[in-house]
Amino acid sequence: MKKGFALVLICLLLLTACSSNSGSKNSGNTAADTGKTENTAATEPAQAKEITIWAWDPAFNIAALEVAKAEYAKTNPDVKINIVEYAQADIIQKLNTGLNSGTTKGLPNIVLIEDYRSQSFLQSYKDSFYDLSSSIKGTDFADYKSGPTSLDGKQYGIPFDSGVTGLYLRTDYLEQAGYKLADLQDIDWKKYIEIGKAVKDKTGKALITLDPNDLGLIRVMIQSAGEWYLKEDGKTPNIAGNAPLKEAFETYKELTESNVAKVHADWSQFVAALNSGDVASVPTGNWITPSITAEASQSGKWGIAPLPKLTVNKSVHASNLGGSSWYVMNVDGKETAADFMAKTFGSNVEMYQKLLTDIGVIGTFKAAAGGEAYSQANEFFSGQKIVSDFAAWTEQIPSVNYGINTYAIEDILIVEMQNYLNGKDIDSVLSDAQAQAESQIK
Amino acid sequence: MHQTNSKLRFRTKSVLTGWSFVLLAVILIFVFYFYPMLQALILSFQTGTGSNLTFTGFDNYSRLLSDKTFIVSVKNTFIYLLVQVPLMIILALFISVLLNDSKLRFKGFFRTAIFLPCVTSLVAYSVVFKYLFSGNGLVNTMLLKLHLVSAPIEWITDPFWAKITIIIAITWRWTGYNMIFYLSALQNIDHSIYEAARIDGASASRQFFGITVPLLKPIILFTSITSTIGTLQLFDEVMNITKGGPGNATQTISQYIYNLSFKYAADFGYAATVSYSIVIMIALLSFIQFKVAGDKNG
């Protein structure tokens, strides 16, 4: 009996040992993941002197963080900053599971969230993000950024990259088809397709590459007209009777039917299509610049023009695609994290110049746009001052409320888009999508 | 009296000792299997995004029935099930019979080659398949070179071909796995049965259908149930090759659960409901398979 009891005790002891072990591992795993930090948790007991940041894209966001880290170290050398790189999908998963489990262990101090998704996090986990209203001013940043980064009048996010769109063009193909870059200033999508047909005839090259699973182009088009999948309240589906959305769908169909579009299935195929010279243009966010300039042999062959516009609803030649912003989590070390953000991305004009020249990041901090780096000519784009163009367009981007259901609605629309391309009538396409969105979004 | 008392004490002692051996496993099973299952069941009666959950009774379950995306996902999953599982079982059976032939040389090599796919990483092989079947991938290049097609097949971006691609991928990976079960079962069949059949003049196909298949019945049942469960939970291939697209032409139930939890505004309550629908389907299908194919005592 005694032996049996002892065994039970040993088992229980083992169990608790296991669980406490996994707990401590969890809190330290972010440091282990970076591979850069040693065991420093014990060195500074009182004030949080160590913060952890999660972000994706080493060439863009992580590189920007490294610049900010170096900048902050000048005034706060005793704060240790761990930068951890995860894929965006992994960050979303980790955040959701972490926040939902109710334990803040293992969460970072600062996290990068895509603008389309930010409201779903802010609204779903209300007290998990730190109010930055006293650290930064939302009005210091591009206006269209305030929707995604604030909630109930409080500023939660530090607006970061702009996602401002432009029309990247192969000027050499255009010339063969008899067009100059100047011919593509202030055009609408109809004219764009017309030019595309000429390019296809003369060069055999596709005008654009499209992913049937990604309606980014539709998002770009409707935002340029100040509309979204949802109404202003961010809740009511706005699909049936949405004139810009209807025109966007029609334009998309025309693109596929006039034989000027090439199809790709993922990011690497997308970039391959640009770099191999298979397509003559890319209407997308400015974050594509590093991928285009990566193909050095095409230097001098690219130019940028303003985004074509829709014909309805005062559509403008500026839109946004996939920008993101920084968020401070409401966990230990939030003050330090907020201070770091306020002193770097929240105010440092100098740093933004460095971000631009070194990495190509176009921020949304208004004061930075006056800096010298913003008006520099870009050799790859035949000396075009692309950044000052982008910065100017950033100011024109219509502000819309993304709400929390962008991707849920988009998945409905992707299916309806296939139906539309297969011949279903546009009005029933949109009204069916509306009905489905209404039943799914609650 | 003293004697029975000590006997009793010995019995209690041995029972307790026995329990203490399995206690750790029992506790772990309760903590990591039954507790999460119960939690998920409770979660399936709640709605809301993230941590703003409220009890709404059977709302999620009634939503399930009117959810077009869910219905399409179920339909897709069953297409895989109805096409791929029989295809794979028959193929595995066929290959295993070939490889069991005593006259065959390099048996070890062939067995290893066919089994090898199922030890590869799910994600790694999916990514390789994605590139093999991409617009200008190896498969299209070969088909074009051999003049079997005049234009590249849109393996990944066409709704029909995307399904075919997924079916080819899972067949490639799992046939070898099932083959191993059949091989080991075949080796347990006494050779004298075949000899007797041959003497009686039974043809090879007669031997296959008259001896091999009936004797492998329990194994066929086992593999078809595990394959059914595997197919109903299909996720990695679809996620990595087509992401469920084009549209939701290849989306499976598991991928829909992932989308509900992580791609859309985290709706864990509804995701748990969809998960439970898989549990119910697996339970029903396994029950039917046992009834149809199993022995009375199976």
Side-chain angles (χ1 to χ4, degrees), chain B residues 123-162:
Chain B
V123 175
Y125 105 87
S126 302
V127 173
V128 170
F129 260 76
K130 184 162 102 180
Y131 286 102
L132 286 179
F133 285 88
S134 66
N136 47 8
L138 186 72
V139 174
N140 268 332
T141 317
M142 264 170 46
L143 290 175
L144 284 171
K145 286 256 161 73
L146 295 171
H147 299 287
L148 290 172
V149 291
S150 55
I153 295 176
E154 291 185 4
W155 289 102
I156 289 168
T157 45
D158 178 85
F160 172 76
W161 290 110

mmCIF file of all heavy atoms in Angstrom, chain B residues 123-162:
data_model
loop_
_atom_site.group_PDB
_atom_site.id
_atom_site.type_symbol
_atom_site.label_atom_id
_atom_site.label_comp_id
_atom_site.label_asym_id
_atom_site.label_seq_id
_atom_site.Cartn_x
_atom_site.Cartn_y
_atom_site.Cartn_z
ATOM 1 N N VAL B 123 4.350 18.899 -45.747
ATOM 2 C CA VAL B 123 4.480 20.230 -46.331
ATOM 3 C C VAL B 123 5.486 20.203 -47.480
ATOM 4 O O VAL B 123 5.233 20.741 -48.555
ATOM 5 C CB VAL B 123 4.898 21.251 -45.261
ATOM 6 C CG1 VAL B 123 5.140 22.605 -45.898
ATOM 7 C CG2 VAL B 123 3.831 21.353 -44.189
ATOM 8 N N ALA B 124 6.607 19.502 -47.248
ATOM 9 C CA ALA B 124 7.658 19.476 -48.271
ATOM 10 C C ALA B 124 7.131 18.870 -49.567
ATOM 11 O O ALA B 124 7.305 19.441 -50.644
ATOM 12 C CB ALA B 124 8.856 18.691 -47.758
ATOM 13 N N TYR B 125 6.440 17.735 -49.450
ATOM 14 C CA TYR B 125 5.986 17.101 -50.690
ATOM 15 C C TYR B 125 4.899 17.930 -51.364
ATOM 16 O O TYR B 125 4.825 18.001 -52.585
ATOM 17 C CB TYR B 125 5.563 15.655 -50.418
ATOM 18 C CG TYR B 125 4.085 15.358 -50.403
ATOM 19 C CD1 TYR B 125 3.403 15.053 -51.583
ATOM 20 C CD2 TYR B 125 3.366 15.344 -49.214
ATOM 21 C CE1 TYR B 125 2.052 14.763 -51.570
ATOM 22 C CE2 TYR B 125 2.020 15.054 -49.191
ATOM 23 C CZ TYR B 125 1.361 14.759 -50.371
ATOM 24 O OH TYR B 125 0.032 14.484 -50.358
ATOM 25 N N SER B 126 4.064 18.595 -50.536
ATOM 26 C CA SER B 126 3.016 19.437 -51.130
ATOM 27 C C SER B 126 3.629 20.563 -51.942
ATOM 28 O O SER B 126 3.167 20.883 -53.045
ATOM 29 C CB SER B 126 2.132 20.037 -50.039
ATOM 30 O OG SER B 126 1.557 19.034 -49.268
ATOM 31 N N VAL B 127 4.669 21.153 -51.379
ATOM 32 C CA VAL B 127 5.308 22.262 -52.089
ATOM 33 C C VAL B 127 5.934 21.758 -53.395
ATOM 34 O O VAL B 127 5.799 22.389 -54.444
ATOM 35 C CB VAL B 127 6.368 22.942 -51.184
ATOM 36 C CG1 VAL B 127 7.155 23.967 -51.972
ATOM 37 C CG2 VAL B 127 5.694 23.591 -49.990
ATOM 38 N N VAL B 128 6.556 20.585 -53.318
ATOM 39 C CA VAL B 128 7.149 20.019 -54.534
ATOM 40 C C VAL B 128 6.051 19.766 -55.572
ATOM 41 O O VAL B 128 6.199 20.111 -56.751
ATOM 42 C CB VAL B 128 7.917 18.715 -54.215
ATOM 43 C CG1 VAL B 128 8.313 18.005 -55.503
ATOM 44 C CG2 VAL B 128 9.143 19.012 -53.375
ATOM 45 N N PHE B 129 4.929 19.221 -55.139
ATOM 46 C CA PHE B 129 3.823 18.967 -56.067
ATOM 47 C C PHE B 129 3.318 20.257 -56.685
ATOM 48 O O PHE B 129 2.974 20.305 -57.855
ATOM 49 C CB PHE B 129 2.679 18.229 -55.351
ATOM 50 C CG PHE B 129 2.696 16.757 -55.626
ATOM 51 C CD1 PHE B 129 3.613 15.937 -54.994
ATOM 52 C CD2 PHE B 129 1.831 16.200 -56.534
ATOM 53 C CE1 PHE B 129 3.655 14.584 -55.261
ATOM 54 C CE2 PHE B 129 1.862 14.839 -56.813
ATOM 55 C CZ PHE B 129 2.771 14.029 -56.177
ATOM 56 N N LYS B 130 3.257 21.299 -55.857
ATOM 57 C CA LYS B 130 2.773 22.577 -56.377
ATOM 58 C C LYS B 130 3.648 23.031 -57.541
ATOM 59 O O LYS B 130 3.142 23.521 -58.554
ATOM 60 C CB LYS B 130 2.785 23.619 -55.258
ATOM 61 C CG LYS B 130 2.209 24.934 -55.695
ATOM 62 C CD LYS B 130 1.828 25.782 -54.524
ATOM 63 C CE LYS B 130 2.852 26.840 -54.286
ATOM 64 N NZ LYS B 130 2.484 27.668 -53.140
ATOM 65 N N TYR B 131 4.953 22.837 -57.394
ATOM 66 C CA TYR B 131 5.838 23.284 -58.467
ATOM 67 C C TYR B 131 5.808 22.337 -59.662
ATOM 68 O O TYR B 131 5.866 22.770 -60.799
ATOM 69 C CB TYR B 131 7.250 23.518 -57.932
ATOM 70 C CG TYR B 131 7.258 24.779 -57.125
ATOM 71 C CD1 TYR B 131 7.237 24.760 -55.744
ATOM 72 C CD2 TYR B 131 7.159 26.018 -57.762
ATOM 73 C CE1 TYR B 131 7.151 25.926 -55.012
ATOM 74 C CE2 TYR B 131 7.068 27.186 -57.039
ATOM 75 C CZ TYR B 131 7.069 27.136 -55.667
ATOM 76 O OH TYR B 131 6.966 28.298 -54.957
ATOM 77 N N LEU B 132 5.681 21.038 -59.372
ATOM 78 C CA LEU B 132 5.596 20.082 -60.481
ATOM 79 C C LEU B 132 4.386 20.381 -61.358
ATOM 80 O O LEU B 132 4.442 20.288 -62.580
ATOM 81 C CB LEU B 132 5.467 18.654 -59.936
ATOM 82 C CG LEU B 132 6.703 17.997 -59.346
ATOM 83 C CD1 LEU B 132 6.359 16.605 -58.851
ATOM 84 C CD2 LEU B 132 7.798 17.916 -60.388
ATOM 85 N N PHE B 133 3.275 20.757 -60.701
ATOM 86 C CA PHE B 133 2.024 20.935 -61.437
ATOM 87 C C PHE B 133 1.724 22.394 -61.780
ATOM 88 O O PHE B 133 0.630 22.712 -62.226
ATOM 89 C CB PHE B 133 0.857 20.336 -60.641
ATOM 90 C CG PHE B 133 0.816 18.837 -60.687
ATOM 91 C CD1 PHE B 133 1.521 18.089 -59.759
ATOM 92 C CD2 PHE B 133 0.100 18.180 -61.667
ATOM 93 C CE1 PHE B 133 1.500 16.705 -59.805
ATOM 94 C CE2 PHE B 133 0.077 16.793 -61.714
ATOM 95 C CZ PHE B 133 0.785 16.051 -60.785
ATOM 96 N N SER B 134 2.677 23.280 -61.571
ATOM 97 C CA SER B 134 2.400 24.689 -61.883
ATOM 98 C C SER B 134 2.351 24.880 -63.397
ATOM 99 O O SER B 134 2.718 23.977 -64.165
ATOM 100 C CB SER B 134 3.469 25.589 -61.264
ATOM 101 O OG SER B 134 4.702 25.343 -61.870
ATOM 102 N N GLY B 135 1.893 26.053 -63.815
ATOM 103 C CA GLY B 135 1.676 26.330 -65.240
ATOM 104 C C GLY B 135 2.843 25.918 -66.124
ATOM 105 O O GLY B 135 2.659 25.279 -67.156
ATOM 106 N N ASN B 136 4.060 26.290 -65.709
ATOM 107 C CA ASN B 136 5.214 25.902 -66.521
ATOM 108 C C ASN B 136 6.078 24.877 -65.785
ATOM 109 O O ASN B 136 7.284 24.835 -65.924
ATOM 110 C CB ASN B 136 6.044 27.128 -66.912
ATOM 111 C CG ASN B 136 6.306 28.026 -65.731
ATOM 112 O OD1 ASN B 136 5.997 27.648 -64.590
ATOM 113 N ND2 ASN B 136 6.879 29.193 -65.965
ATOM 114 N N GLY B 137 5.418 24.052 -64.994
ATOM 115 C CA GLY B 137 6.129 23.040 -64.204
ATOM 116 C C GLY B 137 6.508 21.825 -65.024
ATOM 117 O O GLY B 137 6.225 21.746 -66.223
ATOM 118 N N LEU B 138 7.116 20.867 -64.351
ATOM 119 C CA LEU B 138 7.657 19.683 -65.012
ATOM 120 C C LEU B 138 6.570 18.881 -65.722
ATOM 121 O O LEU B 138 6.750 18.434 -66.857
ATOM 122 C CB LEU B 138 8.373 18.817 -63.975
ATOM 123 C CG LEU B 138 9.121 17.616 -64.532
ATOM 124 C CD1 LEU B 138 10.364 18.064 -65.261
ATOM 125 C CD2 LEU B 138 9.486 16.650 -63.423
ATOM 126 N N VAL B 139 5.424 18.726 -65.062
ATOM 127 C CA VAL B 139 4.362 17.887 -65.631
ATOM 128 C C VAL B 139 3.872 18.466 -66.946
ATOM 129 O O VAL B 139 3.787 17.754 -67.960
ATOM 130 C CB VAL B 139 3.198 17.745 -64.628
ATOM 131 C CG1 VAL B 139 2.040 16.998 -65.256
ATOM 132 C CG2 VAL B 139 3.666 17.041 -63.367
ATOM 133 N N ASN B 140 3.590 19.771 -66.934
ATOM 134 C CA ASN B 140 3.133 20.403 -68.169
ATOM 135 C C ASN B 140 4.198 20.357 -69.255
ATOM 136 O O ASN B 140 3.894 20.097 -70.418
ATOM 137 C CB ASN B 140 2.741 21.860 -67.899
ATOM 138 C CG ASN B 140 1.261 21.967 -67.561
ATOM 139 O OD1 ASN B 140 0.470 21.149 -68.004
ATOM 140 N ND2 ASN B 140 0.910 22.967 -66.783
ATOM 141 N N THR B 141 5.431 20.604 -68.869
ATOM 142 C CA THR B 141 6.516 20.573 -69.850
ATOM 143 C C THR B 141 6.600 19.202 -70.504
ATOM 144 O O THR B 141 6.736 19.086 -71.733
ATOM 145 C CB THR B 141 7.863 20.898 -69.165
ATOM 146 O OG1 THR B 141 7.655 21.980 -68.272
ATOM 147 C CG2 THR B 141 8.922 21.260 -70.170
ATOM 148 N N MET B 142 6.489 18.156 -69.675
ATOM 149 C CA MET B 142 6.575 16.800 -70.215
ATOM 150 C C MET B 142 5.403 16.503 -71.137
ATOM 151 O O MET B 142 5.577 15.967 -72.228
ATOM 152 C CB MET B 142 6.617 15.790 -69.067
ATOM 153 C CG MET B 142 8.023 15.381 -68.705
ATOM 154 S SD MET B 142 8.129 14.441 -67.191
ATOM 155 C CE MET B 142 6.822 13.264 -67.367
ATOM 156 N N LEU B 143 4.194 16.867 -70.678
ATOM 157 C CA LEU B 143 3.011 16.608 -71.505
ATOM 158 C C LEU B 143 3.118 17.321 -72.848
ATOM 159 O O LEU B 143 2.745 16.776 -73.889
ATOM 160 C CB LEU B 143 1.751 17.056 -70.772
ATOM 161 C CG LEU B 143 1.335 16.217 -69.556
ATOM 162 C CD1 LEU B 143 0.140 16.840 -68.855
ATOM 163 C CD2 LEU B 143 1.017 14.794 -69.966
ATOM 164 N N LEU B 144 3.654 18.550 -72.806
ATOM 165 C CA LEU B 144 3.796 19.314 -74.043
ATOM 166 C C LEU B 144 4.836 18.676 -74.960
ATOM 167 O O LEU B 144 4.630 18.536 -76.162
ATOM 168 C CB LEU B 144 4.194 20.761 -73.729
ATOM 169 C CG LEU B 144 3.082 21.667 -73.207
ATOM 170 C CD1 LEU B 144 3.645 22.997 -72.742
ATOM 171 C CD2 LEU B 144 2.022 21.896 -74.274
ATOM 172 N N LYS B 145 5.960 18.267 -74.361
ATOM 173 C CA LYS B 145 7.035 17.642 -75.152
ATOM 174 C C LYS B 145 6.572 16.354 -75.803
ATOM 175 O O LYS B 145 6.969 16.025 -76.914
ATOM 176 C CB LYS B 145 8.244 17.375 -74.248
ATOM 177 C CG LYS B 145 9.030 18.625 -73.884
ATOM 178 C CD LYS B 145 10.321 18.705 -74.692
ATOM 179 C CE LYS B 145 10.874 20.105 -74.701
ATOM 180 N NZ LYS B 145 11.468 20.474 -73.413
ATOM 181 N N LEU B 146 5.730 15.615 -75.081
ATOM 182 C CA LEU B 146 5.250 14.343 -75.616
ATOM 183 C C LEU B 146 4.043 14.535 -76.541
ATOM 184 O O LEU B 146 3.458 13.570 -77.015
ATOM 185 C CB LEU B 146 4.858 13.401 -74.468
ATOM 186 C CG LEU B 146 5.994 12.940 -73.553
ATOM 187 C CD1 LEU B 146 5.457 12.211 -72.340
ATOM 188 C CD2 LEU B 146 6.951 12.020 -74.321
ATOM 189 N N HIS B 147 3.671 15.804 -76.736
ATOM 190 C CA HIS B 147 2.527 16.152 -77.590
ATOM 191 C C HIS B 147 1.216 15.516 -77.133
ATOM 192 O O HIS B 147 0.363 15.194 -77.944
ATOM 193 C CB HIS B 147 2.808 15.786 -79.050
ATOM 194 C CG HIS B 147 3.996 16.511 -79.594
ATOM 195 N ND1 HIS B 147 3.964 17.851 -79.896
ATOM 196 C CD2 HIS B 147 5.258 16.097 -79.847
ATOM 197 C CE1 HIS B 147 5.155 18.223 -80.320
ATOM 198 N NE2 HIS B 147 5.969 17.186 -80.288
ATOM 199 N N LEU B 148 1.096 15.325 -75.842
ATOM 200 C CA LEU B 148 -0.156 14.784 -75.307
ATOM 201 C C LEU B 148 -1.192 15.888 -75.130
ATOM 202 O O LEU B 148 -2.381 15.638 -75.140
ATOM 203 C CB LEU B 148 0.087 14.068 -73.972
ATOM 204 C CG LEU B 148 0.859 12.751 -74.074
ATOM 205 C CD1 LEU B 148 1.221 12.233 -72.697
ATOM 206 C CD2 LEU B 148 0.024 11.711 -74.823
ATOM 207 N N VAL B 149 -0.713 17.100 -74.901
ATOM 208 C CA VAL B 149 -1.630 18.248 -74.814
ATOM 209 C C VAL B 149 -1.083 19.349 -75.719
ATOM 210 O O VAL B 149 0.117 19.388 -76.003
ATOM 211 C CB VAL B 149 -1.746 18.784 -73.363
ATOM 212 C CG1 VAL B 149 -2.459 17.793 -72.477
ATOM 213 C CG2 VAL B 149 -0.383 19.136 -72.797
ATOM 214 N N SER B 150 -1.985 20.232 -76.153
ATOM 215 C CA SER B 150 -1.511 21.304 -77.037
ATOM 216 C C SER B 150 -1.233 22.583 -76.250
ATOM 217 O O SER B 150 -0.432 23.409 -76.657
ATOM 218 C CB SER B 150 -2.546 21.572 -78.124
ATOM 219 O OG SER B 150 -3.789 21.840 -77.525
ATOM 220 N N ALA B 151 -1.914 22.764 -75.113
ATOM 221 C CA ALA B 151 -1.660 23.925 -74.252
ATOM 222 C C ALA B 151 -1.469 23.412 -72.831
ATOM 223 O O ALA B 151 -2.016 22.363 -72.477
ATOM 224 C CB ALA B 151 -2.838 24.886 -74.317
ATOM 225 N N PRO B 152 -0.678 24.131 -72.014
ATOM 226 C CA PRO B 152 -0.459 23.663 -70.643
ATOM 227 C C PRO B 152 -1.789 23.495 -69.898
ATOM 228 O O PRO B 152 -2.685 24.326 -70.023
ATOM 229 C CB PRO B 152 0.375 24.772 -70.010
ATOM 230 C CG PRO B 152 0.865 25.609 -71.119
ATOM 231 C CD PRO B 152 -0.003 25.396 -72.288
ATOM 232 N N ILE B 153 -1.897 22.430 -69.139
ATOM 233 C CA ILE B 153 -3.102 22.224 -68.323
ATOM 234 C C ILE B 153 -2.987 23.119 -67.083
ATOM 235 O O ILE B 153 -1.939 23.180 -66.446
ATOM 236 C CB ILE B 153 -3.217 20.752 -67.909
ATOM 237 C CG1 ILE B 153 -3.430 19.885 -69.138
ATOM 238 C CG2 ILE B 153 -4.360 20.563 -66.913
ATOM 239 C CD1 ILE B 153 -3.461 18.395 -68.851
ATOM 240 N N GLU B 154 -4.070 23.793 -66.743
ATOM 241 C CA GLU B 154 -4.046 24.644 -65.543
ATOM 242 C C GLU B 154 -4.335 23.785 -64.316
ATOM 243 O O GLU B 154 -5.403 23.819 -63.727
ATOM 244 C CB GLU B 154 -5.069 25.764 -65.686
ATOM 245 C CG GLU B 154 -4.656 26.765 -66.744
ATOM 246 C CD GLU B 154 -5.588 27.944 -66.814
ATOM 247 O OE1 GLU B 154 -6.521 28.033 -66.000
ATOM 248 O OE2 GLU B 154 -5.382 28.790 -67.694
ATOM 249 N N TRP B 155 -3.314 23.034 -63.916
ATOM 250 C CA TRP B 155 -3.476 22.061 -62.838
ATOM 251 C C TRP B 155 -3.943 22.697 -61.544
ATOM 252 O O TRP B 155 -4.691 22.090 -60.786
ATOM 253 C CB TRP B 155 -2.148 21.340 -62.580
ATOM 254 C CG TRP B 155 -1.745 20.387 -63.639
ATOM 255 C CD1 TRP B 155 -0.801 20.610 -64.602
ATOM 256 C CD2 TRP B 155 -2.263 19.075 -63.868
ATOM 257 N NE1 TRP B 155 -0.700 19.507 -65.414
ATOM 258 C CE2 TRP B 155 -1.583 18.544 -64.984
ATOM 259 C CE3 TRP B 155 -3.224 18.293 -63.237
ATOM 260 C CZ2 TRP B 155 -1.828 17.275 -65.476
ATOM 261 C CZ3 TRP B 155 -3.473 17.029 -63.730
ATOM 262 C CH2 TRP B 155 -2.788 16.521 -64.838
ATOM 263 N N ILE B 156 -3.470 23.884 -61.252
ATOM 264 C CA ILE B 156 -3.741 24.453 -59.926
ATOM 265 C C ILE B 156 -4.792 25.544 -59.972
ATOM 266 O O ILE B 156 -5.501 25.770 -59.000
ATOM 267 C CB ILE B 156 -2.416 24.943 -59.305
ATOM 268 C CG1 ILE B 156 -1.573 23.712 -58.932
ATOM 269 C CG2 ILE B 156 -2.633 25.811 -58.075
ATOM 270 C CD1 ILE B 156 -0.172 24.002 -58.575
ATOM 271 N N THR B 157 -4.951 26.192 -61.131
ATOM 272 C CA THR B 157 -5.868 27.324 -61.174
ATOM 273 C C THR B 157 -7.210 26.994 -61.824
ATOM 274 O O THR B 157 -8.075 27.855 -61.897
ATOM 275 C CB THR B 157 -5.223 28.506 -61.918
ATOM 276 O OG1 THR B 157 -4.610 28.023 -63.101
ATOM 277 C CG2 THR B 157 -4.171 29.173 -61.057
ATOM 278 N N ASP B 158 -7.397 25.765 -62.281
ATOM 279 C CA ASP B 158 -8.696 25.377 -62.830
ATOM 280 C C ASP B 158 -9.424 24.495 -61.807
ATOM 281 O O ASP B 158 -8.827 23.574 -61.248
ATOM 282 C CB ASP B 158 -8.482 24.600 -64.143
ATOM 283 C CG ASP B 158 -9.788 24.121 -64.735
ATOM 284 O OD1 ASP B 158 -10.414 24.914 -65.450
ATOM 285 O OD2 ASP B 158 -10.190 22.960 -64.461
ATOM 286 N N PRO B 159 -10.704 24.760 -61.543
ATOM 287 C CA PRO B 159 -11.410 24.033 -60.484
ATOM 288 C C PRO B 159 -11.350 22.516 -60.644
ATOM 289 O O PRO B 159 -11.111 21.796 -59.677
ATOM 290 C CB PRO B 159 -12.848 24.520 -60.614
ATOM 291 C CG PRO B 159 -12.759 25.833 -61.286
ATOM 292 C CD PRO B 159 -11.547 25.798 -62.150
ATOM 293 N N PHE B 160 -11.540 22.008 -61.872
ATOM 294 C CA PHE B 160 -11.545 20.555 -62.074
ATOM 295 C C PHE B 160 -10.144 19.975 -61.887
ATOM 296 O O PHE B 160 -9.936 19.033 -61.125
ATOM 297 C CB PHE B 160 -12.084 20.226 -63.466
ATOM 298 C CG PHE B 160 -11.949 18.774 -63.836
ATOM 299 C CD1 PHE B 160 -12.816 17.836 -63.290
ATOM 300 C CD2 PHE B 160 -10.961 18.339 -64.709
ATOM 301 C CE1 PHE B 160 -12.690 16.489 -63.616
ATOM 302 C CE2 PHE B 160 -10.832 16.993 -65.035
ATOM 303 C CZ PHE B 160 -11.704 16.070 -64.489
ATOM 304 N N TRP B 161 -9.182 20.561 -62.589
ATOM 305 C CA TRP B 161 -7.823 20.012 -62.540
ATOM 306 C C TRP B 161 -7.190 20.160 -61.164
ATOM 307 O O TRP B 161 -6.358 19.354 -60.761
ATOM 308 C CB TRP B 161 -6.941 20.661 -63.613
ATOM 309 C CG TRP B 161 -7.329 20.219 -64.987
ATOM 310 C CD1 TRP B 161 -7.926 20.971 -65.955
ATOM 311 C CD2 TRP B 161 -7.186 18.899 -65.541
ATOM 312 N NE1 TRP B 161 -8.166 20.217 -67.068
ATOM 313 C CE2 TRP B 161 -7.726 18.947 -66.856
ATOM 314 C CE3 TRP B 161 -6.668 17.707 -65.063
ATOM 315 C CZ2 TRP B 161 -7.753 17.827 -67.683
ATOM 316 C CZ3 TRP B 161 -6.691 16.596 -65.896
ATOM 317 C CH2 TRP B 161 -7.224 16.659 -67.185
ATOM 318 N N ALA B 162 -7.584 21.193 -60.435
ATOM 319 C CA ALA B 162 -7.033 21.363 -59.086
ATOM 320 C C ALA B 162 -7.427 20.181 -58.208
ATOM 321 O O ALA B 162 -6.609 19.658 -57.445
ATOM 322 C CB ALA B 162 -7.526 22.668 -58.477
#
